C-alpha cells in the first residue's frame, strides 16, 4: 500500500503539464524570412510588372522608354562584382543589408511622389533618376540578402523551404495583382496610382521592420584580399563558370521572346486584356505547384540536374506557339503559359539554389556577383534585341508575325538544351 506522500508525488507527476516544444532559433529565422517576404511581394507587385508599365504611361513615357526601364535593372547586376569585393571588409552583413535595402525601398517608393512635387516635363527624368538609384542600391541589398539567407537556411532543407516559401509568396502576388488591377479599374489615373503607392509604402514599412528580426551570422570572408585574384576565383572554377555561361546564353535566348509574350498577344494577335490576365493567372497557378514539386525533387537531385530538366519545358512554351497554325488561339496560349509557369518557376528557384548551394562559402559573394553579372547582361540584351526583331517583322508574312519568331527561337532552345545543356549541366552534376 502506497503512503500518502507517494500518492501525492504520483498525482503531481500525472497532472504536471508537458514541457512546451522549444522553437529553435533556426526555425524562428526561417519563419522571419517567410514573413518578411509577404510585405516585400505586396510592394514589389504594386510598384512593378504591369503597374509599373501603367504608371510610366501615366507619366508620359513612350514604348522605347518603357522597354529600357524594364530591362535596365538587370544591367545593374554588373555592379555586384565591385560590391562583392567591398563587402569583404565587413565582419557582419546585417547593417549594410539594412541600409542598402532601405535606400532601395525608399527611392523606389518615392517615385509615387513625382506628380505632386515636379512639373510634368520633369516627371520622366526624375523617375529615371530615382528608379536607377533605387536599383543600384538594390544590387547591393540583393547580393547581401542572398549571402545572409544562404547561411540561414540549412542545405538539407533548402530546396523544400524555398519551394514552400515561393509557393506562398507567389499565391499572394497573384492575389495582389488581381486586387491592384481592380483598384485601378475603380479609380483610373492618378488617384488609382496614389492608392497603390500608399499601400506600397505601408508594405515597405512592414518589410523594413521585419528585416530587423533577421539574424546577423558572422561573415566568413574570402582568403583573398585583392580584387583581381578574388574575381579570378569564380572564373577559374570550371564547373561553375561553364554552368553560368551556359545559363547566361540560355537566358539570352529565353528573353528574346518570353518577356514579349504579352506584346505579341495584345498588339499582334489583338487578344483582350481579360484573356491576357487569364493566361497570367494560369501561368502563376502552375508556377506555384511547380515551386513545391521542384523543391521536393531538390531534396533528392542536384541543382544542375533539375535545372537541365526545366529547359525543355521553357523551350516547349515557345514551340507551342507554332500550334496556332492548326489550333484555336486560346487553347494554344493556355498551353504555352502553363508550360512556361512549370519551367520558369523551377528554373528561377533552382538557379537561386545553385548560386547559394554550389559555391564555396567564403567566396560566395563574388560567385553570386559573377553569376548575376553574366546572366543580368544576357537578360538585358535579350528583350532589347527581341523587341527590335518584332518591329522588323511588321512587314513579314502573317504566320511569322503571329508565331514564327517564337517557334524558331523555341526550336533553337530545344536544340541547345539537348546538346550543350546536357553536356554542361548533367556532366557537372
Amino acid at each position: 500500500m502506497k503512503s500518502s506522500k507517494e500518492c501525492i508525488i504520483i498525482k503531481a507527476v500525472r497532472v504536471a503539464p508537458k514541457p512546451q516544444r522549444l522553437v529553435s532559433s533556426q526555425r524562428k529565422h526561417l519563419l522571419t524570412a517567410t514573413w518578411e517576404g509577404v510585405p516585400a511581394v505586396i510592394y514589389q507587385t504594386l510598384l512593378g510588372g504591369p503597374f509599373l508599365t501603367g504608371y510610366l504611361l501615366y507619366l508620359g513615357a513612350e514604348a522605347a522608354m518603357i522597354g529600357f526601364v524594364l530591362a535596365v535593372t538587370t544591367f545593374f547586376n554588373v555592379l555586384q562584382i565591385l560590391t562583392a569585393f567591398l563587402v569583404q571588409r565587413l565582419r557582419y552583413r546585417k547593417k549594410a543589408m539594412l541600409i542598402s535595402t532601405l535606400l532601395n525601398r525608399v527611392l523606389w517608393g518615392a517615385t509615387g511622389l513625382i506628380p505632386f512635387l515636379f512639373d510634368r516635363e520633369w516627371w520622366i527624368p526624375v523617375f529615371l533618376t530615382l528608379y536607377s538609384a533605387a536599383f543600384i542600391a538594390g544590387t547591393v541589398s540583393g547580393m547581401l540578402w542572398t549571402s545572409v539567407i544562404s547561411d540561414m537556411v540549412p542545405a538539407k532543407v533548402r530546396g523544400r523551404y524555398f519551394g514552400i516559401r515561393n509557393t506562398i509568396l507567389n499565391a499572394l502576388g497573384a492575389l495582389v495583382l488581381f486586387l491592384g488591377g481592380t483598384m485601378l479599374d475603380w479609380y483610373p489615373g492618378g488617384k488609382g496610382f496614389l492608392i497603390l503607392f500608399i499601400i506600397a509604402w505601408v508594405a515597405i514599412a512592414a518589410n523594413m521592420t521585419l528585416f530587423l528580426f533577421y539574424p546577423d551570422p558572422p561573415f566568413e570572408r574570402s582568403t583573398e584580399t585583392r580584387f583581381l585574384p578574388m574575381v579570378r576565383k569564380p572564373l577559374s572554377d570550371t564547373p561553375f563558370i561553364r554552368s553560368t555561361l551556359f545559363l547566361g546564353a540560355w537566358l539570352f535566348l529565353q528573353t528574346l521572346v518570353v518577356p514579349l509574350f504579352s506584346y505579341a498577344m495584345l498588339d499582334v494577335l489583338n487578344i483582350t486584356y481579360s484573356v491576357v490576365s487569364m493566361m497570367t493567372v494560369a501561368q502563376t497557378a502552375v508556377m506555384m505547384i511547380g515551386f513545391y514539386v521542384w523543391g521536393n525533387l531538390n531534396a533528392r537531385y542536384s541543382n544542375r540536374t533539375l535545372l537541365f530538366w526545366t529547359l525543355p519545358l521553357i523551350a516547349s512554351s515557345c514551340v507551342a506557339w507554332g500550334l496556332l497554325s492548326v489550333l484555336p488561339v486560346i487553347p494554344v496560349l493556355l498551353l504555352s503559359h502553363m508550360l512556361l509557369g512549370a519551367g520558369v518557376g523551377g528554373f528561377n528557384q533552382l538557379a537561386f539554389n545553385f548560386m547559394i548551394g554550389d559555391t564555396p562559402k567564403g567566396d560566395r559573394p563574388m560567385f553570386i556577383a559573377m553569376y548575376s553579372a553574366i546572366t543580368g547582361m544576357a537578360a538585358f540584351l535579350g528583350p532589347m534585341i527581341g523587341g527590335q526583331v518584332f518591329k522588323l517583322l511588321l512587314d513579314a508574312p502573317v504566320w511569322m508575325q503571329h508565331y514564327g519568331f517564337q517557334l524558331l527561337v523555341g526550336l533553337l532552345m530545344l536544340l541547345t538544351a539537348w546538346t550543350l545543356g546536357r553536356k554542361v549541366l548533367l556532366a557537372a552534376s
Side-chain angles (χ1 to χ4, degrees), residues 97-252:
M97 183 179 71
L98 287 174
I99 293 172
S100 57
T101 302
L102 180 63
L103 284 172
N104 169 258
R105 306 316 195 233
V106 170
L107 289 169
W108 196 4
T111 58
L113 299 174
I114 290 174
F116 303 98
L117 300 179
F118 299 94
D119 295 331
R120 181 173 289 273
E121 62 267 21
W122 289 99
W123 286 4
I124 294 300
V126 173
F127 177 90
L128 289 175
T129 301
L130 290 174
Y131 189 78
S132 298
F135 278 89
I136 289 173
T139 61
V140 179
S141 66
M143 193 203 66
L144 288 170
W145 180 84
T146 303
S147 177
V148 170
I149 201 74
S150 67
D151 291 340
M152 287 172 56
V153 184
K156 62 182 180 180
V157 300
R158 195 170 283 154
R160 185 172 288 110
Y161 168 74
F162 283 114
I164 295 172
R165 183 180 188 268
N166 289 338
T167 300
I168 294 170
L169 297 183
N170 273 267
L172 175 63
L175 177 62
V176 173
L177 187 66
F178 171 76
L179 294 177
T182 304
M183 185 68 69
L184 285 180
D185 285 338
W186 288 349
Y187 302 101
K191 186 176 182 179
F193 284 113
L194 177 60
I195 294 172
L196 294 189
F197 270 96
I198 289 174
I199 298 172
W201 291 330
V202 173
I204 287 171
N207 180 238
M208 292 307 305
T209 301
L210 288 168
F211 262 119
L212 296 175
F213 294 94
Y214 263 64
D216 196 5
F219 184 24
E220 183 178 324
R221 287 178 284 186
S222 173
T223 55
E224 285 291 348
T225 58
R226 294 171 297 165
F227 179 70
L228 289 179
M230 198 178 294
V231 171
R232 280 198 292 266
K233 280 202 169 185
L235 294 176
S236 60
D237 187 320
T238 303
F240 170 81
I241 199 63
R242 286 181 66 192
S243 299
T244 299
L245 288 172
F246 170 76
L247 293 176
W250 177 267
L251 283 172
F252 172 75

Side-chain angles (χ1 to χ4, degrees), residues 54-118:
Y55 187 59
L56 286 168
L57 290 171
Y58 170 71
L59 295 180
E62 297 178 351
M65 184 60 66
I66 293 173
F68 172 79
V69 169
L70 296 177
V72 74
T73 54
T74 57
F75 177 77
F76 291 138
N77 286 340
V78 176
L79 299 176
Q80 287 195 14
I81 294 177
L82 178 61
T83 304
F85 171 70
L86 295 177
V87 299
Q88 292 295 329
R89 302 173 182 271
L90 301 173
R91 183 180 178 185
Y92 295 94
R93 291 158 289 183
K94 184 175 179 178
K95 185 176 181 180
M97 183 179 71
L98 287 174
I99 293 172
S100 57
T101 302
L102 180 63
L103 284 172
N104 169 258
R105 306 316 195 233
V106 170
L107 289 169
W108 196 4
T111 58
L113 299 174
I114 290 174
F116 303 98
L117 300 179
F118 299 94

Side-chain angles (χ1 to χ4, degrees), residues 106-405:
V106 170
L107 289 169
W108 196 4
T111 58
L113 299 174
I114 290 174
F116 303 98
L117 300 179
F118 299 94
D119 295 331
R120 181 173 289 273
E121 62 267 21
W122 289 99
W123 286 4
I124 294 300
V126 173
F127 177 90
L128 289 175
T129 301
L130 290 174
Y131 189 78
S132 298
F135 278 89
I136 289 173
T139 61
V140 179
S141 66
M143 193 203 66
L144 288 170
W145 180 84
T146 303
S147 177
V148 170
I149 201 74
S150 67
D151 291 340
M152 287 172 56
V153 184
K156 62 182 180 180
V157 300
R158 195 170 283 154
R160 185 172 288 110
Y161 168 74
F162 283 114
I164 295 172
R165 183 180 188 268
N166 289 338
T167 300
I168 294 170
L169 297 183
N170 273 267
L172 175 63
L175 177 62
V176 173
L177 187 66
F178 171 76
L179 294 177
T182 304
M183 185 68 69
L184 285 180
D185 285 338
W186 288 349
Y187 302 101
K191 186 176 182 179
F193 284 113
L194 177 60
I195 294 172
L196 294 189
F197 270 96
I198 289 174
I199 298 172
W201 291 330
V202 173
I204 287 171
N207 180 238
M208 292 307 305
T209 301
L210 288 168
F211 262 119
L212 296 175
F213 294 94
Y214 263 64
D216 196 5
F219 184 24
E220 183 178 324
R221 287 178 284 186
S222 173
T223 55
E224 285 291 348
T225 58
R226 294 171 297 165
F227 179 70
L228 289 179
M230 198 178 294
V231 171
R232 280 198 292 266
K233 280 202 169 185
L235 294 176
S236 60
D237 187 320
T238 303
F240 170 81
I241 199 63
R242 286 181 66 192
S243 299
T244 299
L245 288 172
F246 170 76
L247 293 176
W250 177 267
L251 283 172
F252 172 75
L253 291 175
Q254 178 181 315
T255 55
L256 282 172
V257 292
V258 171
L260 297 164
F261 274 7
S262 294
Y263 165 80
M265 288 187 290
L266 291 168
D267 203 58
V268 179
L269 297 176
N270 295 315
I271 302 296
T272 63
Y273 280 98
S274 60
V275 173
V276 174
S277 298
M278 183 181 71
M279 300 304 163
T280 304
V281 170
Q283 178 182 328
T284 303
V286 175
M287 188 181 296
M288 287 188 296
I289 298 171
F291 282 139
Y292 183 77
V293 173
W294 291 112
N296 283 329
L297 289 173
N298 204 193
R300 299 177 56 191
Y301 302 101
S302 72
N303 294 315
R304 287 181 173 90
T305 298
L306 294 177
L307 265 172
F308 169 76
W309 288 109
T310 66
L311 305 184
L313 291 172
I314 299 172
S316 297
S317 73
C318 300
V319 173
W321 282 68
L323 295 174
L324 289 174
S325 60
V326 293
L327 294 176
V329 172
I330 302 302
V332 170
L333 295 181
L334 188 61
L335 173 64
S336 173
H337 281 77
M338 291 175 69
L339 289 169
L340 184 63
V344 168
F347 182 93
N348 292 340
Q349 180 169 298
L350 293 162
F352 179 80
N353 291 344
F354 164 71
M355 279 195 298
I356 68 175
D358 295 6
T359 52
K361 188 174 181 180
D363 295 295
R364 188 167 291 155
M366 186 57 74
F367 276 75
I368 293 171
M370 189 61 66
Y371 175 88
S372 299
I374 292 172
T375 57
M377 184 60 68
F380 171 73
L381 293 174
M384 302 285 283
I385 296 174
Q388 294 300 317
V389 172
F390 270 102
K391 285 184 178 180
L392 294 175
L393 293 177
L394 292 176
D395 297 324
V398 173
W399 71 270
M400 180 61 76
Q401 295 182 42
H402 285 189
Y403 59 84
F405 184 42

